Amino acid sequence: MKKAVLFILFSCMVGVQTFACYHSSAATKNKDLSPDSLYMYVFVSETCPICQHMTLQLRDLLKKYPAAMCTLVFPNYTVSDSNSVEKFLNKYKLNCNFTIDYDQKLTREWGVTITPEVLIFSGDQECIYRGKLNNQFARLGERRTVITEHYAEDAIQSYLTGQPIKINKTEPTGCFIIKS
């Protein structure tokens, strides 16, 4: 519950635009956002098998880059409640903020339709990456045993080292979000 309240407070300070993939001007007025920080939103559903399979890689990514402030967004409010979300977080040992997008405001504003989908913002409110966590799933039902592309990690690493981000968008593979 405490994590959800913190995210709601943060969300009140930060707005979004769907197509530009930027935090709104409200965020640029917020002096608390550090230009050196990264903000990662991962849209997930606790009932989606692909979301379940990617939890180990997400957990490893969060350990490797603790500066990437992560919030899990649960957009399927008809499926998700605080109990099911807590069970998901505990089962997969994910220690990060979360929110249930009850009115699907974030889901609609960012145009997210599939879980899992990762959005990473710089402290300057620019979306530096959007899409798959990695290439574990090429298509539905097609799971690789060896992951060869680490899209989100590569974007974070490139950003932190001042290098150009080679791939800043991929198409997510996963489960459709139930729209309200």
Side-chain angles (χ1 to χ4, degrees), residues 24-35:
S24 76
S25 60
T28 59
K29 296 175 189 171
N30 181 359
K31 305 285 187 232
D32 296 333
L33 294 179
S34 167

Side-chain angles (χ1 to χ4, degrees), residues 139-159:
R139 293 182 246 330
L140 286 176
E142 226 178 276
R143 182 176 170 204
R144 288 184 171 87
T145 54
V146 176
I147 298 168
T148 59
E149 298 288 337
H150 302 271
Y151 305 117
E153 182 175 356
D154 291 348
I156 291 170
Q157 181 63 31
S158 294
Y159 179 79

Side-chain angles (χ1 to χ4, degrees), residues 84-99:
S84 66
V85 169
E86 287 289 344
K87 284 180 187 175
F88 179 81
L89 296 175
N90 290 333
K91 179 177 182 177
Y92 296 106
K93 299 178 178 100
L94 293 170
N95 185 19
C96 56
N97 294 326
F98 74 88
T99 188

Side-chain angles (χ1 to χ4, degrees), residues 18-125:
T18 303
F19 299 106
C21 198
Y22 284 88
H23 290 265
S24 76
S25 60
T28 59
K29 296 175 189 171
N30 181 359
K31 305 285 187 232
D32 296 333
L33 294 179
S34 167
D36 299 329
S37 297
L38 289 172
Y39 302 91
M40 181 166 59
Y41 297 87
V42 184
F43 285 76
V44 295
S45 173
E46 64 272 36
T47 60
C48 177
I50 294 176
C51 291
Q52 295 165 1
H53 284 290
M54 67 116 205
T55 56
L56 177 60
Q57 292 84 28
L58 178 60
R59 191 172 64 229
D60 291 345
L61 181 67
L62 296 176
K63 283 181 187 172
K64 189 171 183 177
Y65 297 100
M69 293 176 243
C70 180
T71 300
L72 299 180
V73 180
F74 292 83
N76 291 325
Y77 67 93
T78 58
V79 175
S80 301
D81 61 31
S82 56
N83 289 333
S84 66
V85 169
E86 287 289 344
K87 284 180 187 175
F88 179 81
L89 296 175
N90 290 333
K91 179 177 182 177
Y92 296 106
K93 299 178 178 100
L94 293 170
N95 185 19
C96 56
N97 294 326
F98 74 88
T99 188
I100 300 171
D101 194 8
Y102 286 110
D103 58 4
Q104 292 189 328
K105 182 179 179 184
L106 291 174
T107 305
R108 280 193 304 276
E109 288 183 8
W110 273 324
V112 178
T113 59
I114 303 283
T115 62
E117 182 167 357
V118 178
L119 289 91
I120 304 173
F121 291 91
S122 69
D124 294 330
Q125 298 87 40

